[in-house]
């Protein structure tokens, strides 16, 4: 036996030993464990490198900390709400939130998601409308602008946003921009030079220490948050780029969902931004200052909770919220998502709802922006079709909306897709809303989109060709790590 054979054998043995130790010591989900083991066995050397880059577990690491949480009284408010709900003395302002007290309590207990009941919320479904209002709000800013996006393009829209932020910084408004290094990988600090020269600050989440090499590229801050003067906030699916205005020929019209919020919910989104900013820009830490959390009179009667999740948290809070909503449904469950790769728990919840006779409808795109994820989405369709759920394929462009509404009364819109990446790997944020009028509006939005969609019937699904089924099978096998 020559030296090369010995070296290859030794490397293979070490690969198996180290890979096994790492995978099992991580105590990750069993489906993800098997998916990684398949990769490590069939592509042993490259697979081990991929695992070291993509398979790190952040659950034991404390990434976010801010001393100001104590000063804004968040802990006291959480304890007060928990106590009042436990002893049935919490003053719910509407019947819908009272009916969903167990969901509210769960999100409060597991995620510190306080319930606020004085909000006004606008829903945007069109990028032109959303960015027109956002730019108008930025133009009116007097104190500060906190802006965070997963994808920030240096294109026409991106430059327009930067130019306006630069103008506000020159006026003395405090401007901070935070973007994700992986999502905005084509962005460069020089694109913000005029902004930083005007006094603005720019932060990068999980930046590459070495050009083109990022050991944490699998963990992405997928949140999209804007807070203006501590009084107006945005959260939802739109990023900053021309394609979100429908200017991408391949994707066509971009259909998404985004919220504009005013009321006490803004404080929760402000807190989330500050936590993310301080993690990314530790040399420019935000300290507690009252002007970030100004007092406001009630802005409306919408009840909402801001819920965050990520690989650093103990529970999969947004996914658990989805499941609790679905299992509480009396009549209907409407879902819009660009990626439908549910884990077993969510798939069971939807299957049970459909088998129980609930009106379960799921809307997905008719074209992929990520082909592998697209085929994995289709692979999960058959089981639910057989249980009575209905699938609609949006034909009027690309639907990127992350929306779930139950019984036309309680709903959620945010950044989290129905997939393992959003539930376990990405840092996400959603607004859970409890209001009949808002729920009815969300359901009506779904039905308007349904009129622009074609239905995937069980018969049509069975007519798929062998090549399509093969791609679906491979994608489904690897779906736990997509």
């Amino acid at each position: 036996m020559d030296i090369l054979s010995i070296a290859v054998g030794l490397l293979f043995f070490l690969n198996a030993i180290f890979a096994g130790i790492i995978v099992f010591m991580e105590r990750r989900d069993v489906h993800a464990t098997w998916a990684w083991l398949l990769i490590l066995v069939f592509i042993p050397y490259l697979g081990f490198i991929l695992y070291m880059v993509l398979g790190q577990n952040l659950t034991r690491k404390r990434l976010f900390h801010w001393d100001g949480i104590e000063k804004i009284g968040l802990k006291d408010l959480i304890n007060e709400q928990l106590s009042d709900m436990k002893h049935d003395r919490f003053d719910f302002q509407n019947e819908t939130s009272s009916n969903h007290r167990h969901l509210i309590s769960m999100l409060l207990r597991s995620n510190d998601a306080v319930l606020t009941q004085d909000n006004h919320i606008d829903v945007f479904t069109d990028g032109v409308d959303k960015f027109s209002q956002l730019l108008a709000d930025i133009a009116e800013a007097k104190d500060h602008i906190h802006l965070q996006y997963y994808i920030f393009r240096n294109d026409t829209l991106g430059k327009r946003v930067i130019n306006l932020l630069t103008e506000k910084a020159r006026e003395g408004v405090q401007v901070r921009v935070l973007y994700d290094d992986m999502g905005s990988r084509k962005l460069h600090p020089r694109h913000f030079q005029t902004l930083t020269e005007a006094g603005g600050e720019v932060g990068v989440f999980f930046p590459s220490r070495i050009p083109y090499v990022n050991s944490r590229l699998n963990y992405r801050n997928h949140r999209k948050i804007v807070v203006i003067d501590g009084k107006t906030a945005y959260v939802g699916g739109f990023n900053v780029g021309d394609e979100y205005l429908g200017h991408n020929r391949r994707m066509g019209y971009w259909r998404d969902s985004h919220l504009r919020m005013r009321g006490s919910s803004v404080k929760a989104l402000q807190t989330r931004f500050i936590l993310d900013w301080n993690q990314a820009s530790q040399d420019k830490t935000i300290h507690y200052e009252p002007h970030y959390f100004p007092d406001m009179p009630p802005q409306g009667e919408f009840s909402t909770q801001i819920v965050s999740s990520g690989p650093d948290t103990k529970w999969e809070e947004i996914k658990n919220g989805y499941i609790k909503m679905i299992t509480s449904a009396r009549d209907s469950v409407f879902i819009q998502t660009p990626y439908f790769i549910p884990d077993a728990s969510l798939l069971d919840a939807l299957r049970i709802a459909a088998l129980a006779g609930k009106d379960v409808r799921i809307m997905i795109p008719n074209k992929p922006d990520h082909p592998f994820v697209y085929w994995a989405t289709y692979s999960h369709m058959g089981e639910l079709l057989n249980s009575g759920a209905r699938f609609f394929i949006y034909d009027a462009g690309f639907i990127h909306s992350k929306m779930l509404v139950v019984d036309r009364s309680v709903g959620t819109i945010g950044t989290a897709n129905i997939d393992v990446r959003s539930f376990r790997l990405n840092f996400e944020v959603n607004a859970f809303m409890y209001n009949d009028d808002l729920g009815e509006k969300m359901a009506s939005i779904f039905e308007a989109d349904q009129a622009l969609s074609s239905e995937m019937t069980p018969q049509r699904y069975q007519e798929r060709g062998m090549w399509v089924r093969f791609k679906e099978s491979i994608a489904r096998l690897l779906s736990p790590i997509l």
Side-chain angles (χ1 to χ4, degrees), residues 14 25 39 78 131 142 184 249 252 268 325 362 374 439 474:
L14 291 175
M25 289 296 289
I39 291 176
I78 291 168
F131 281 103
K142 305 298 182 185
S184 304
R249 290 185 179 180
M325 287 175 63
I362 300 166
Y374 180 75
I474 296 299

Side-chain angles (χ1 to χ4, degrees), residues 138-151:
I138 289 175
E140 294 297 318
K142 305 298 182 185
D143 185 77
H144 65 273
I145 301 165
H146 290 161
L147 186 145
Q148 172 182 358
Y149 281 96
Y150 171 61
I151 295 175

Side-chain angles (χ1 to χ4, degrees), residues 10-21:
L10 182 61
L11 285 174
F12 186 86
F13 177 75
L14 291 175
N15 174 85
I17 294 297
F18 290 140
I21 291 173

Side-chain angles (χ1 to χ4, degrees), residues 269-305:
L269 286 168
Q270 179 80 288
T271 302
R272 182 69 266 166
F273 175 88
I274 291 174
L275 287 166
D276 285 3
W277 173 270
N278 285 352
Q279 192 285 327
S281 303
Q282 297 177 8
D283 59 333
K284 299 177 182 178
T285 299
I286 298 177
H287 299 285
Y288 171 77
E289 295 178 25
H291 66 99
Y292 292 135
F293 300 91
D295 292 329
M296 283 189 295
Q299 300 294 305
E301 298 180 350
F302 293 156
S303 299
T304 187
Q305 291 174 287

Side-chain angles (χ1 to χ4, degrees), residues 167-296:
E167 180 182 327
K168 299 305 295 184
R170 287 172 179 158
E171 293 176 7
V173 175
Q174 194 172 46
V175 176
R176 294 184 176 96
V177 176
L178 176 63
Y179 65 89
D180 182 81
D181 187 65
M182 181 61 185
S184 304
R185 52 191 174 278
K186 294 183 179 179
L187 207 57
H188 192 275
R190 67 174 178 272
H191 296 142
F192 293 101
Q193 184 175 348
T194 57
L195 174 60
T196 55
E197 289 175 349
E201 298 178 357
V202 179
V204 185
F205 194 88
F206 280 0
S208 301
R209 303 303 179 188
I210 303 173
Y212 309 110
V213 177
N214 192 332
S215 63
R216 296 181 291 184
L217 62 85
N218 205 35
Y219 299 101
R220 305 161 192 176
N221 196 320
H222 198 236
R223 296 168 183 146
K224 298 96 177 170
I225 297 172
V226 179
V227 180
I228 300 168
D229 292 342
K231 298 178 180 180
T232 303
Y234 287 78
V235 65
F238 284 107
N239 289 291
V240 177
D242 290 345
E243 68 262 42
Y244 303 100
L245 302 180
H247 296 165
N248 184 298
R249 290 185 179 180
R250 184 176 71 88
M251 304 308 294
Y253 178 72
W254 193 279
R255 168 65 184 86
D256 219 323
S257 297
H258 216 95
L259 303 175
R260 179 180 185 265
M261 313 183 77
R262 290 179 60 84
S264 297
S265 59
V266 177
K267 295 182 179 180
L269 286 168
Q270 179 80 288
T271 302
R272 182 69 266 166
F273 175 88
I274 291 174
L275 287 166
D276 285 3
W277 173 270
N278 285 352
Q279 192 285 327
S281 303
Q282 297 177 8
D283 59 333
K284 299 177 182 178
T285 299
I286 298 177
H287 299 285
Y288 171 77
E289 295 178 25
H291 66 99
Y292 292 135
F293 300 91
D295 292 329
M296 283 189 295

Side-chain angles (χ1 to χ4, degrees), residues 97-115:
S97 56
S98 179
N99 290 340
H100 290 275
R101 64 179 64 211
H102 298 298
L103 168 63
I104 293 169
S105 179
M106 181 191 74
L107 296 174
L108 176 63
R109 187 179 305 278
S110 67
N111 196 241
D112 293 344
V114 298
L115 178 69

